[in-house]
Amino acid sequence: RPTMSRRSDPGHPRTGIACRVFISLRLGEAKDAARVLTDALEAAGVATFYCEDLPVGANMIMDALVACSLAVILGTETYGQRAAAGRYGTAEELSFIVNEPKPFFLIKMCDAFTTVPARFYLQPQIKYHAWEDYSMWSPTKPLPAGLVEAVLAALHSTAPRPGKADFPALPPPHVRPRPLSLADEFRSEHAQILQRPEQAEVRDQLDIYVPTEC
């Protein structure tokens, strides 16, 4: 079933879902970890959403992902696996998170990803929190030391500063626009990589169309 806070939070203005943290996971690999992490975040007063059953409408998952302030990625070995035709999975969630862009917190729970989307979008230079020896973990054991605090710190960093608008106003014509942000540079760099002929197979697996010059 989908699991999320039942607090009296009015929720996102467009979706109505009370969700500050969205946990993106492969159920077969990280369902127990998601449940324990959700309980810990809820105990800290943070409305958290994760889906623990496959036969759930994609609309509810998408609404929660749109509404959240922070996406927590449980980076297990097959995270990013493409779902069967007509289904919704972590490949779609990851693509939305990166391209929106949505602030995210990566928990690396494996030595290496096996899926193309995860290997492409979650490259080694991206900051992550390591969950050491995850294969040895069980729900009867505590979460890794400092994990919940790190997620809460990441969530706190997404909060708008007091007195600041959510979206900056456009600068006057005589003012030079701001430099590219790290997220802008990330997307630009990957778009250039995808344009290379040798990346055709990657484009096909990611289901991305990259225009080329005529």
Side-chain angles (χ1 to χ4, degrees):
R1 67 183 186 280
T3 299
M4 64 180 173
S5 172
R6 288 173 170 77
R7 305 178 197 281
S8 58
D9 188 329
H12 190 278
R14 292 194 299 273
T15 66
I17 291 181
C19 170
R20 295 191 65 201
V21 170
F22 177 98
I23 298 181
S24 179
L25 73 149
R26 291 278 291 168
L27 285 174
E29 295 174 334
K31 181 177 179 179
D32 289 336
R35 183 172 63 250
V36 175
L37 180 57
T38 295
D39 289 344
L41 293 173
E42 291 277 351
V46 176
T48 304
F49 176 98
Y50 82 99
C51 179
E52 62 180 19
D53 277 333
L54 287 174
V56 168
N59 286 341
M60 179 178 291
I61 298 173
M62 289 188 288
D63 286 347
L65 184 52
V66 168
C68 76
S69 301
L70 178 73
V72 172
I73 295 174
L74 299 188
T76 51
E77 188 173 354
T78 66
Y79 181 85
Q81 182 73 43
R82 295 191 67 83
R87 301 297 294 273
Y88 183 87
T90 52
E92 290 74 22
E93 291 173 7
L94 179 58
S95 178
F96 177 85
I97 290 167
V98 172
N99 290 297
E100 180 66 6
K102 175 73 69 173
F104 70 88
F105 182 90
L106 171 61
I107 304 174
K108 188 78 177 293
M109 306 165 75
C110 62
D111 292 331
F113 297 115
T114 61
T115 68
V116 170
R119 288 164 56 196
F120 183 82
Y121 287 124
L122 304 176
Q123 296 186 20
Q125 66 268 26
I126 292 179
K127 183 179 179 180
Y128 63 88
H129 189 101
W131 187 323
E132 302 289 352
D133 300 321
Y134 171 68
S135 61
M136 306 292 291
W137 182 82
S138 72
T140 61
K141 297 180 180 179
L143 293 168
L147 176 59
V148 174
E149 292 79 6
V151 173
L152 293 175
L155 176 63
H156 179 73
S157 71
T158 68
R161 296 179 182 178
K164 298 291 185 181
D166 290 341
F167 300 96
L170 292 175
H174 62 278
V175 176
R176 295 182 62 185
R178 64 171 176 81
L180 288 177
S181 67
L182 290 177
D184 294 332
E185 293 177 358
F186 177 83
R187 292 193 299 274
S188 175
E189 176 184 353
H190 282 74
Q192 293 176 23
I193 293 174
L194 283 172
Q195 288 177 346
R196 299 174 185 171
E198 63 269 22
Q199 296 298 323
E201 182 179 353
V202 174
R203 291 199 301 270
D204 293 341
Q205 294 192 53
L206 290 172
D207 195 23
I208 292 176
Y209 170 72
V210 178
T212 56
E213 295 181 356
C214 298

